[in-house]
Amino acid sequence: MNFFSNIQIVSKYESKLLLRSWFFRIFAFLSLFIITVYDLVLVVFESDSISWSIKALASNIPYLNLLILNEIQSIVAIFLAADFLKRDKKLDTSEVFYVRPLSNAEYVIGKIWGNVRVFLILNLVVMVLSVLFNFIAPNTPIDWMAYLIYFLLISIPTLVYIIGLSVFSMQVFRNQALTFILLLGYVGFSHLYLTHKYHFLFDYIAYYFPLVKSSIVGFTNWGDILAHRFIYLSAGLAFIFTTIAMFGRLPNSARKNYLWPTAAFLMLLTSGFTAYKYMDSLSEKGKMRAFYTSINNKYVHAPKALIETYAISLEQKAASFNAEAQMKGIALQTASVFTFCLNPGLQVREITGATGETLSFEREEQIILVDLGKETAAGDTISLTIKYAGKILDAFCYLDIPHEELQKPNRVNDIFTSDKQYAFQTGNFLLFTPETYWYPRAGTAYSNESPDWQQTYFSRYKLKIKPLPGLIPLSQGEAVENADGSYSFLPEYPLQALSLIAGKYKQQSLTVDSVQYNIRYFEGHDYYTAAFDALQDTLSSIIRDYKLSMERKYKLDYPFSRLSLVEVPAQFFSYKHAWSKADETMQPEMFFITEKAWTNPLFNVAKSIKNQKRRSSRSGVGETDEEMQVAILSRILWEYSLFPQLYNFQFNVFSSDWPIANKVIEYYLQNPQSDTDADENSSMSAMSSAAYILNNENNEMTGYEKANLLMGKHHFKDLLARDEYREFMDFFIESKSNWLFAPAEINQGMIAFRDSVYAVLERNTFRNMQFEHLLDTLGNISRTDILSQIAGWNQPVDLPAYTVSNPVVSQYTHRDKEVYVMKLLVSNHSDNDGMIQLTIRENKPSATRSDPKINRKLRLSAHQTRQLVSVWDEAPKEVEINTMISGNIPAVITYPIVDINKEKGVITDIEGDYILPDRGWNTADEMIIDNEDSLFSFSAPVIMGLLPKWLNKTNDKAFKYSGYSWWRPPIQWSATTNQAYYGRNIRSAYLVKSGSGNKTATWKYPVLSPGDYEVYYFVSKSNDSRGNNRSGDTYHFRIINDMETEDAYLNMQNAGNGWESLGVYYFHSDTVGIVLTNENKGRTVVADAVKIVKK
Amino acid sequence: MFPNGNQALKNINLEIPTGMFGLLGPNGAGKSTLMRILVALLEPTSGDVNIFGYDLRKQRKEIRGILGYLPQDFRFFAKYKTYEFLDYAARLSGMNNGKQRKQTVDAMLENVGLFDARERYANKLSGGMKRRLGIAQALIHNPKVIIVDEPTTGLDPEERIRFRNLLSEISEKEVIVILSTHIVGDISSACKCMALMNRGEVSFFGTPEEMLKKAEGKVWRIRVSGDELHAIDKLYPVISTIPLGVDWEVQVVADEIRGYEAESCSPNLEHAYVYYMENDLNLWTND
């Protein structure tokens, strides 16, 4: 009788019990049912947008299935596993097994193995099921290895850990209910709160842990995966061994048995040590990154050269490479030692000078200080060759991205987590983007002290690469294969940087208008050609259209001779830098797409075409196959903006003071100027009303409004430097960009100024442009002092604030001819000068935004009121006032034109902007008290318990106006904003959940003379009508004057938008209080503004 | 020693020979504790137990290998079928040969009259059947020491007789059968040796005959009236009362009878048990 056979016996009978338990049976049935439904919907019928992420990466099928199963079984296992100890105690017949000659270890392990075994069988059944669905699913390969790997990585450690933890807890607490509560609490806490925090350390199921497997390079984070799973596997074993040691049966031998306590201790130690190493390596990476940045800071102003030509030759090895970079350029400063930067994972072997003489150098991590041996004057030629070798260290990439950002998981469809890989260097794939510094570049990498490092210069490149056998290299320029198996690239244009890719690529090419379009896909990944079978004849024209419309849109020409869509492994990831909207997924001449574009459902082309067919036949449109395929292909093409190819790889705007200079120009160029562009590009200009309304749906402040308020408090540089405002970065830059050029646009005209910008750019292709110089030039052209505005960026903005009245449109009919006059009153009631952008949309589609009558910016000085009069042949449809950088909330106000006054006779109004005298806010007989005024107050919140406090918590503490969800309105008065609310520049109101009437809002009115007054309340129903459409949605007011209280009710269902009367009251000479309570049968009560009019 | 300081057993010194050994004692005498120590479920605070040369403190595995045990409470089963329960027990005792084990299990089920119930879940068996399954599991691996704790509790007379006979049969072989009971009738003539336990101590150790001998001349038959019956009951431990018209015939245990006309009669084991209890506890003396 041996150890294993005893375990086997105990486990066999334990498994029998588990299989006979109804709890387990129901769980197993439910799991299989849920998984079947998931698989049918997602894998077989592809009925959801996430289907593509599963089908494109076949390994995601077992990944998804096992994730779902583990999610359920990790909870069920707690109930079942902890049960055996309880059962042993409860059943008086268990003792007859205790008196058998098996050891405690055999018994406990047997019991646990019996449980684990049944779960494993269930896992196997699930895997068989998913293989079956995988097999049925059309055009989906089966990744057999993935089934095994995910089973070992997800299921085994999770089960061992949770079962170990359960039995251990049961042993310690000796109370099943307590054990369940504690463990379920733990599961909930780790799964709902800790989630990916602390680099997934507490994610025992590996639900958030990056486990996406590429079909090209497999896993890219094996070290982390093994460490993470081992932490839980060994912790689980430690718990099991402790349970054995603590098991309440006399051991077989009287000798003190140290084996299991020792084993448990060792396992716990191993687990803890692995966890420590795992976390330490990450914090070490963080420290190294800070260290690299500090070194960049140290040398950011050190003398550097401008490299004019590069000749790089590189030989790929299995996990490293040897390279030589010949560089010729000119010294930018007079010096003998020049600074270069190279990935710190690469070792410099030798540096030689122009005549082959060895040059001495110093290396400090990434920095190479090359001593030319003699002083070189600024402008003199420099020539040197650096020989180096090694492996790219990817912790060196993205030094500018904050640690928290790097730690964020790369979640896809909220199910899969992919590792973030910036460079690849395996035997079958290689990818180096400029971010890796895979060849020496002049100067330093990212410095957080000076943007000087950013100056990019355009160089001529020559690249020769010898890849590993079977790999095809890609880079900029045409590839020429040499006799020795190496490839040469000679890009036709100067480039800021070079990228290098090598893999088992296949190619499809098409030349249209002398540009070669390529698709570089991995072997076996051509899933799309068959789907686009009807496009043979039209493909060229679709591509031509795409390129031309992109060029038209940005008024820039595509500069290169080829454009390739390059497939890269699933884990490839890039961040957007603060200084550019372009990221590393785009390289000159290239777009990268991760494996079959697995994250983008649009690329499920067969399915998309099928859906299009279904829609077409349902609507009876009767599109041809070709038309449908064209529609799908066009949608895919328009996913990719050519902007970085048109702008970023041709131009560079640089400022020693402003690291975001280039982005300011990018934003300006990307802002749509025609209506057609606006449609395609609404996401780029979120200032457009569609995006505004989207953000404002929940009465929340938009990013622009928050950015405006922050710009009013802090100066621009401060805002850019602070990580806590990173989420508003793009809002700051876009607003500043719009504001910067607005005066020039007003002076010169929007179109004329824009044309000047393009003209200046065109003179500077492939050149570094000084931002300040560019602004000066543009200022001269537009006769505007643009440059001096930059000085103002060092101070907080004095925010202007505007009041906009409802536009009044009148229709004049004269001799059967209709003319419309629109009058709009806008005042700047602040002490600060400002500008606004006015857009009037007509009812005819042909209108373009380039027409200054339709779209223009105008100045509004402090305390200035303007009446804007315009005359139209067609009725205007909508007016949009964008207050740009202002204290207005909402910052964009849109008025749909609904009521048109009919007038007879000839119009007397003349188009133009008229300056009116400053209007007073209140008159002697009429006073409006808004919730923003000091005369408004609301009942103080009562002390709350922790739970309601937590439920009522708003995440955005920095901003006064918070959004709310209509199904969970705030339980205390909360400030919200919406353009339908009343307000001068801040259209806000306080909102509270309806209740018993214990919450009140009060407007106080100081009565100047006794008499009759009519009281009005401002109703805005459009925004919070959801949930308020019940009968009984009636506001209860109390009007208090001279110790008397009168009740007033306002039925919100019958009330219209705007001022609604609450009745006429006699007020004595005193202060009147108008009190609104939260007593209401509707869902919410809104406290906005009251108006009191003397009768 | 219990955590509260109570001592369940003290000064136990027994040498149990092969054959059936009866351990008699009232409830709470410490029988079960002794049994649980013998089957290595409990560890004695002090002292040594030696079973067939194996030291219970050091060689539990060996002892567990030669042990069959039927606990006092044997009612609640995990969801096993009758034969599975037996098979599980057999396998844990080292019967690895599947075919042989199956035969043994079947034979044992036949032996205890459970063959027809073999497919039934053990939990669904009647009280008597559960006991039989209990004895079957204790015997399945031919143990050298069989320890049965109060096996007849709750059984009907027929089942009890069957049980007793089964144990007698087994005790014929070269094994030790330790039978603990509080029912004197269970200590049949098959018991070669017995001990009487009370308050955690052994008050008698020897053969049943020796025990009987100790009670010889101590059992009396007295004829009394109804009123006297109450007086007698207070003076002496009464074993039986038989109504004889207006009078009663009473059997009592005592060294001597004073004041009544008593007739000595030959003792049985029950008389001896009562005699011992009376001596031990002085329950009925008025001193």
Side-chain angles (χ1 to χ4, degrees):
Chain A
M1 195 162 47
N2 59 45
F3 187 70
F4 293 106
S5 76
N6 273 346
I7 289 175
Q8 177 59 22
I9 296 160
V10 177
S11 74
K12 180 188 157 187
Y13 277 95
E14 184 66 18
S15 301
K16 243 184 228 268
L17 288 183
L18 201 55
L19 287 170
R20 281 175 187 166
S21 105
W22 279 106
F23 185 48
F24 180 79
R25 286 178 187 180
I26 291 168
F27 147 70
F29 172 78
L30 278 180
S31 308
L32 293 177
F33 177 75
I34 291 170
I35 281 163
T36 305
V37 170
Y38 260 85
D39 282 351
L40 279 176
V41 171
L42 300 181
V43 183
V44 180
F45 300 120
E46 303 172 40
S47 308
D48 194 279
S49 60
I50 67 167
S51 295
W52 182 238
S53 58
I54 297 161
K55 282 179 62 81
L57 276 186
S59 55
N60 279 346
I61 297 176
Y63 183 15
L64 171 76
N65 280 310
L66 289 176
L67 269 191
I68 300 171
L69 177 66
N70 268 276
E71 182 87 347
I72 313 171
Q73 78 183 2
S74 69
I75 294 171
V76 175
I78 294 175
F79 287 97
L80 293 175
D83 193 45
F84 86 80
L85 290 167
K86 170 84 181 170
R87 200 187 324 125
D88 272 11
K89 261 192 195 152
K90 209 169 69 183
L91 301 177
D92 49 19
T93 50
S94 309
E95 282 192 343
V96 302
F97 302 118
Y98 282 17
V99 302
R100 308 284 157 180
L102 80 169
S103 69
N104 288 359
E106 289 159 359
Y107 187 75
V108 174
I109 294 174
K111 286 277 181 182
I112 290 172
W113 172 233
N115 279 285
V116 173
R117 197 163 75 155
V118 176
F119 281 104
L120 292 186
I121 292 167
L122 184 67
N123 278 261
L124 287 176
V125 174
V126 165
M127 285 201 289
V128 169
L129 205 66
S130 41
V131 169
L132 198 74
F133 287 121
N134 199 162
F135 188 73
I136 309 171
N139 306 321
T140 313
I142 299 180
D143 186 343
W144 292 104
M145 202 55 181
Y147 281 85
L148 177 70
I149 292 174
Y150 284 121
F151 172 65
L152 294 175
L153 292 181
I154 301 177
S155 297
I156 300 281
T158 306
L159 275 176
V160 171
Y161 173 71
I162 199 70
I163 290 178
L165 181 65
S166 309
V167 293
F168 169 76
S169 312
M170 187 66 194
Q171 189 78 274
V172 171
F173 302 119
R174 295 178 182 276
N175 180 314
Q176 210 170 9
L178 183 65
T179 304
F180 288 165
I181 289 168
L182 287 174
L183 289 188
L184 289 179
Y186 162 72
V187 169
F189 187 65
S190 75
H191 196 64
L192 301 174
Y193 179 75
L194 291 170
T195 59
H196 66 272
K197 293 186 181 89
Y198 308 102
H199 205 78
F200 315 98
L201 183 64
F202 297 99
D203 178 23
Y204 71 96
I205 308 181
Y207 187 79
Y208 298 94
F209 191 84
L211 278 178
V212 165
K213 177 178 172 281
S214 154
S215 61
I216 307 304
V217 294
F219 292 106
T220 43
N221 51 338
W222 266 119
D224 280 354
I225 295 177
L226 292 179
H228 185 274
R229 301 322 284 153
F230 186 71
I231 291 168
Y232 283 103
L233 184 69
S234 48
L237 290 174
F239 288 134
I240 292 173
F241 295 160
T242 314
T243 309
I244 295 172
M246 290 170 69
F247 190 59
R249 167 188 183 249
L250 292 181
N252 262 349
S253 126
R255 271 176 289 119
K256 279 270 181 204
N257 195 337
Y258 294 109
L259 175 66
W260 297 110
T262 313
F265 179 71
L266 286 178
M267 273 296 157
L268 201 63
L269 209 65
T270 316
S271 174
F273 182 71
T274 315
Y276 168 76
K277 288 305 274 182
Y278 171 80
M279 292 305 283
D280 187 54
S281 78
L282 290 162
S283 79
E284 192 56 32
K285 256 187 200 169
K287 275 183 211 152
M288 281 316 286
R289 289 162 44 80
F291 182 52
Y292 294 141
T293 307
S294 72
I295 290 174
N296 285 333
N297 288 342
K298 185 172 162 188
Y299 294 104
V300 68
H301 297 301
K304 63 178 177 180
L306 186 164
I307 304 299
E308 289 169 326
T309 64
Y310 271 102
I312 302 169
S313 64
L314 184 145
E315 191 186 358
Q316 188 192 3
K317 305 276 177 195
S320 65
F321 67 87
N322 294 335
E324 186 183 298
Q326 286 177 32
M327 296 175 274
K328 272 191 192 136
I330 51 166
L332 289 172
Q333 286 107 326
T334 302
S336 59
V337 177
F338 289 85
T339 316
F340 293 86
C341 183
L342 180 71
N343 188 289
L346 302 172
Q347 283 79 45
V348 175
R349 298 211 164 134
E350 190 187 22
I351 301 181
T352 50
T355 54
E357 79 279 15
T358 305
L359 299 177
S360 69
F361 68 93
E362 271 179 51
R363 185 88 193 267
E364 193 170 347
E365 300 301 332
Q366 71 272 26
I367 297 297
I368 310 168
L369 298 169
V370 182
D371 191 346
L372 296 181
K374 61 177 192 315
E375 191 159 275
T376 308
D380 279 4
T381 309
I382 281 178
S383 176
L384 73 158
T385 302
I386 299 182
K387 285 184 183 158
Y388 60 101
K391 190 171 162 57
I392 293 289
L393 194 75
D394 71 348
F396 180 66
C397 301
Y398 297 105
L399 295 180
D400 56 309
I401 305 295
H403 187 68
E404 302 72 49
E405 193 70 25
L406 294 171
Q407 297 307 307
K408 273 188 194 154
N410 178 18
R411 295 280 281 169
V412 175
N413 294 326
D414 224 10
I415 297 178
F416 306 110
T417 313
S418 172
D419 186 32
K420 299 191 231 182
Q421 203 65 28
Y422 319 128
F424 293 86
Q425 199 171 338
T426 65
N428 59 0
F429 188 74
L430 179 139
L431 186 152
F432 301 148
T433 64
E435 185 66 37
T436 60
Y437 283 76
W438 64 278
Y439 61 90
R441 286 157 70 181
T444 67
Y446 173 75
S447 151
N448 54 9
E449 283 178 3
S450 165
D452 266 347
W453 75 275
Q454 261 185 25
Q455 300 192 50
T456 52
Y457 297 96
F458 291 86
S459 315
R460 292 270 174 189
Y461 284 89
K462 216 155 83 179
L463 171 69
K464 189 176 170 196
I465 169 181
K466 191 171 185 200
L468 288 171
L471 302 193
I472 312 271
L474 308 175
S475 186
Q476 283 72 33
E478 192 183 351
V480 178
E481 190 173 359
N482 304 317
D484 63 348
S486 68
Y487 291 76
S488 298
F489 293 86
L490 193 68
E492 299 87 341
Y493 317 91
L495 298 166
Q496 289 156 316
L498 199 65
S499 38
L500 176 63
I501 306 113
K504 288 178 182 152
Y505 280 114
K506 295 279 172 193
Q507 179 177 5
Q508 285 172 326
S509 295
L510 177 73
T511 304
V512 182
D513 300 339
S514 73
V515 175
Q516 189 191 39
Y517 296 90
N518 305 304
I519 299 179
R520 298 288 197 155
Y521 62 95
F522 292 118
E523 247 166 354
H525 285 201
D526 175 11
Y527 65 92
Y528 49 85
T529 308
F532 287 125
D533 56 350
L535 291 186
Q536 305 297 335
D537 303 329
T538 41
L539 195 55
S540 303
S541 69
I542 298 169
I543 290 173
R544 184 180 295 121
D545 284 351
Y546 164 72
K547 177 174 165 267
L548 288 178
S549 43
M550 280 285 178
E551 288 177 330
R552 228 181 3 246
K553 180 173 168 182
Y554 298 117
K555 294 188 176 174
L556 292 167
D557 292 332
Y558 183 70
F560 306 115
S561 311
R562 58 195 74 73
L563 181 62
S564 307
L565 204 59
V566 179
E567 194 182 5
V568 295
Q571 296 97 333
F572 178 75
F573 191 86
S574 74
Y575 294 95
K576 281 203 173 5
H577 296 297
W579 54 86
S580 175
K581 291 185 81 177
D583 64 22
E584 299 278 292
T585 54
M586 215 171 287
Q587 300 295 329
E589 309 182 351
M590 289 176 194
F591 290 111
F592 290 161
I593 58 163
T594 53
E595 245 160 302
K596 292 186 184 173
W598 69 287
T599 54
N600 187 343
L602 203 55
F603 279 75
N604 194 357
V605 286
K607 181 73 184 171
S608 300
I609 291 171
K610 216 162 126 191
N611 287 346
Q612 181 86 4
K613 242 179 217 170
R614 204 182 306 137
R615 274 197 298 273
S616 161
S617 71
R618 208 182 294 150
S619 63
V621 177
E623 280 179 299
T624 62
D625 279 0
E626 190 183 349
E627 283 168 336
M628 284 185 272
Q629 292 177 17
V630 168
I632 299 299
L633 181 62
S634 302
R635 276 172 63 194
I636 291 178
L637 285 176
W638 280 99
E639 287 277 293
Y640 291 91
S641 168
L642 261 187
F643 184 80
Q645 302 281 352
L646 300 176
Y647 176 77
N648 297 70
F649 302 138
Q650 269 194 95
F651 305 100
N652 184 51
V653 175
F654 161 78
S655 160
S656 283
D657 278 335
W658 297 99
I660 43 71
N662 198 42
K663 206 169 188 175
V664 168
I665 304 299
E666 277 180 33
Y667 265 112
Y668 186 69
L669 296 178
Q670 280 195 335
N671 259 346
Q673 288 310 311
S674 68
D675 271 355
T676 46
D677 291 348
D679 293 339
E680 292 146 7
N681 226 339
S682 61
S683 65
M684 281 185 184
S685 170
M687 275 277 198
S688 73
S689 60
Y692 163 74
I693 287 163
L694 205 73
N695 285 334
N696 202 239
E697 206 173 35
N698 298 326
N699 287 14
E700 211 164 347
M701 288 173 75
T702 61
Y704 291 99
E705 287 151 12
K706 291 177 180 173
N708 281 349
L709 293 192
L710 288 170
M711 285 190 283
K713 277 187 204 153
H714 309 280
H715 66 80
F716 193 27
K717 218 169 228 174
D718 188 24
L719 291 171
L720 292 176
R722 283 155 77 158
D723 277 348
E724 73 229 61
Y725 297 136
R726 204 181 146 78
E727 59 175 310
F728 301 114
M729 182 89 77
D730 284 350
F731 296 113
F732 298 141
I733 301 171
E734 187 180 348
S735 298
K736 285 286 188 197
S737 165
N738 268 333
W739 190 259
L740 179 66
F741 296 114
E745 283 184 341
I746 293 170
N747 281 3
Q748 201 187 346
M750 209 181 259
I751 302 301
F753 178 71
R754 220 162 246 274
D755 286 343
S756 317
V757 177
Y758 287 112
V760 175
L761 281 181
E762 264 159 41
R763 289 202 297 272
N764 287 287
T765 45
F766 303 117
R767 259 193 241 163
N768 210 25
M769 275 178 279
Q770 181 77 28
F771 183 51
E772 288 79 2
H773 182 68
L774 175 71
L775 296 186
D776 197 36
T777 310
L778 291 172
N780 286 337
I781 296 171
S782 60
R783 296 180 191 286
T784 316
D785 188 3
I786 304 177
L787 190 57
S788 69
Q789 273 202 56
I790 301 296
W793 285 5
N794 286 318
Q795 285 146 20
V797 180
D798 293 323
L799 296 176
Y802 311 97
T803 315
V804 185
S805 69
N806 274 318
V808 179
V809 178
S810 308
Q811 180 191 16
Y812 289 87
T813 315
H814 184 63
R815 288 183 188 164
D816 296 338
K817 199 172 172 267
E818 288 169 353
V819 182
Y820 297 86
V821 176
M822 187 171 83
K823 290 180 184 169
L824 182 69
L825 216 57
V826 194
S827 349
N828 176 353
H829 60 261
S830 71
D831 299 331
N832 309 311
D833 293 345
M835 284 177 286
I836 59 165
Q837 182 168 7
L838 175 73
T839 310
I840 301 169
R841 298 196 179 88
E842 278 183 294
N843 256 334
K844 57 181 180 188
S846 59
T848 59
R849 283 171 68 103
S850 53
D851 182 348
K853 191 174 165 186
I854 287 169
N855 180 21
R856 66 184 170 122
K857 288 174 181 147
L858 59 130
R859 285 194 183 90
L860 263 183
S861 312
H863 301 290
Q864 191 179 60
T865 301
R866 284 191 189 213
Q867 187 177 43
L868 314 174
V869 180
S870 52
V871 181
W872 306 85
D873 295 338
E874 299 275 341
K877 191 172 69 175
E878 191 182 65
V879 180
E880 180 189 291
I881 297 104
N882 182 343
T883 61
M884 302 176 70
I885 301 181
S886 74
N888 271 55
I889 302 171
V892 179
I893 301 156
T894 313
Y895 289 110
I897 307 296
V898 188
D899 300 323
I900 296 179
N901 307 323
K902 306 253 179 192
E903 307 277 349
K904 288 241 161 84
V906 192
I907 51 162
T908 49
D909 298 293
I910 301 168
E911 228 173 33
D913 297 353
Y914 300 94
I915 297 175
L916 303 185
D918 197 14
R919 290 200 324 151
W921 190 241
N922 292 313
T923 61
D925 294 338
E926 179 183 313
M927 184 169 177
I928 293 169
I929 307 154
D930 187 31
N931 60 294
E932 293 291 329
D933 296 337
S934 58
L935 292 171
F936 172 82
S937 61
F938 54 83
S939 55
V942 287
I943 295 160
M944 286 194 285
L946 271 181
L947 186 66
K949 228 178 220 171
W950 185 71
L951 288 173
N952 202 31
K953 187 173 81 171
T954 50
N955 294 325
D956 220 345
K957 288 206 177 74
F959 302 96
K960 182 177 168 189
Y961 305 99
S962 53
Y964 74 98
S965 32
W966 67 271
W967 46 271
R968 212 186 72 191
I971 53 176
Q972 300 295 350
W973 289 109
S974 302
T976 69
T977 165
N978 194 293
Q979 79 158 25
Y981 291 147
Y982 185 84
R984 293 184 81 180
N985 60 313
I986 296 174
R987 298 187 175 191
S988 67
Y990 283 83
L991 183 141
V992 75
K993 189 182 176 180
S994 298
S996 59
N998 60 343
K999 297 195 174 73
T1000 58
T1002 307
W1003 293 263
K1004 279 188 180 148
Y1005 173 61
V1007 182
L1008 296 175
S1009 60
D1012 282 330
Y1013 288 84
E1014 183 156 17
V1015 179
Y1016 295 88
Y1017 179 73
F1018 192 84
V1019 177
S1020 52
K1021 295 208 302 181
S1022 52
N1023 293 290
D1024 39 78
S1025 56
R1026 264 189 296 193
N1028 274 355
N1029 274 338
R1030 325 175 179 180
S1031 59
D1033 184 12
T1034 300
Y1035 282 15
H1036 178 196
F1037 292 88
R1038 283 201 295 268
I1039 290 144
I1040 305 167
N1041 182 228
D1042 201 23
M1043 312 294 280
E1044 282 174 26
T1045 301
E1046 281 187 73
D1047 286 312
Y1049 295 91
L1050 184 60
N1051 185 317
M1052 299 301 279
Q1053 267 192 320
N1054 301 337
N1057 280 319
W1059 295 110
E1060 280 282 339
S1061 174
L1062 297 178
V1064 179
Y1065 301 87
Y1066 183 82
F1067 292 156
H1068 305 275
S1069 205
D1070 197 352
T1071 300
V1072 173
I1074 292 141
V1075 179
L1076 171 63
T1077 75
N1078 71 330
E1079 181 195 343
N1080 183 16
K1081 290 216 171 74
R1083 193 175 280 272
T1084 54
V1085 171
V1086 174
D1088 194 349
V1090 296
K1091 181 164 80 172
I1092 292 154
V1093 180
K1094 186 148 200 258
K1095 292 305 263 182
Chain B
M1 181 97 70
F2 289 115
N4 61 10
N6 280 352
Q7 229 173 325
L9 298 175
K10 50 194 168 197
N11 303 328
I12 305 281
N13 202 345
L14 290 173
E15 194 172 330
I16 300 169
T18 56
M20 175 113 78
F21 176 79
L23 189 62
L24 192 63
N27 288 330
K31 301 189 296 296
S32 287
T33 307
L34 179 60
M35 303 270 111
R36 289 170 66 78
I37 287 174
L38 292 181
V39 296
L41 283 173
L42 273 183
E43 193 166 27
T45 325
S46 61
D48 292 311
V49 180
N50 203 293
I51 300 174
F52 282 113
Y54 295 122
D55 185 341
L56 187 62
R57 271 186 189 280
K58 294 176 185 158
Q59 291 162 297
R60 289 194 197 105
K61 185 175 179 175
E62 289 76 4
I63 290 176
R64 281 167 172 164
I66 55 166
L67 210 69
Y69 173 57
L70 173 62
Q72 183 176 5
D73 296 315
F74 195 72
R75 283 164 297 170
F76 302 111
F77 293 81
K79 205 165 181 184
Y80 293 128
K81 289 177 180 172
T82 306
Y83 81 90
E84 284 172 349
F85 190 85
L86 213 48
D87 181 72
Y88 188 14
R91 291 189 70 173
L92 284 184
S93 296
M95 298 172 72
N96 288 328
N97 185 320
K99 207 172 155 190
Q100 210 177 338
R101 189 175 65 245
K102 191 177 179 312
Q103 283 172 357
T104 316
V105 167
D106 285 351
M108 184 57 78
L109 284 171
E110 196 75 66
N111 215 359
V112 296
L114 284 176
F115 192 79
D116 293 338
R118 63 195 298 278
E119 287 292 338
R120 278 168 66 183
Y121 281 111
N123 250 344
K124 310 269 175 192
L125 297 178
S126 71
M129 287 163 112
K130 281 179 180 171
R131 284 275 151 195
R132 278 186 265 150
L133 177 58
I135 197 71
Q137 64 77 28
L139 301 176
I140 188 74
H141 54 298
N142 286 327
K144 285 172 130 181
V145 183
I146 298 150
I147 297 177
V148 283
D149 194 359
E150 308 257 2
T152 57
T153 320
L155 294 189
D156 61 37
E158 205 180 320
E159 285 274 12
R160 184 180 295 183
I161 292 163
R162 272 182 73 171
F163 221 94
R164 229 182 268 163
N165 293 343
L166 192 69
L167 288 177
S168 308
E169 243 171 70
I170 298 156
S171 63
E172 294 303 312
K173 299 169 192 166
E174 269 301 289
V175 295
I176 301 174
V177 178
I178 302 177
L179 167 76
S180 105
T181 183
H182 64 280
I183 300 163
V184 183
D186 285 346
I187 309 288
S188 69
S189 52
C191 275
K192 288 182 183 161
C193 189
M194 65 169 289
L196 196 63
M197 270 191 84
N198 197 18
R199 288 184 172 178
E201 283 181 285
V202 175
S203 44
F204 170 82
F205 176 72
T207 61
E209 290 77 28
E210 283 169 348
M211 182 147 158
L212 277 178
K213 209 172 262 173
K214 300 252 176 186
E216 245 165 48
K218 316 283 183 193
V219 184
W220 309 91
R221 193 185 299 135
I222 313 170
R223 196 179 171 114
V224 291
S225 68
D227 292 341
E228 286 169 329
L229 179 62
H230 289 292
I232 290 267
D233 196 26
K234 283 177 184 161
L235 282 172
Y236 307 107
V238 174
I239 296 166
S240 68
T241 51
I242 304 161
L244 298 169
V246 277
D247 289 344
W248 299 79
E249 188 187 289
V250 187
Q251 281 195 344
V252 299
V253 176
D255 286 333
E256 54 178 347
I257 304 289
R258 284 182 218 153
Y260 293 96
E261 192 181 311
E263 181 191 341
S264 171
C265 51
S266 62
N268 61 20
L269 212 51
E270 200 169 358
H271 298 138
Y273 175 72
V274 175
Y275 174 74
Y276 261 93
M277 287 299 116
E278 186 254 0
N279 264 4
D280 218 28
L281 302 171
N282 291 329
L283 273 178
W284 293 281
T285 53
N286 291 327
D287 316 332

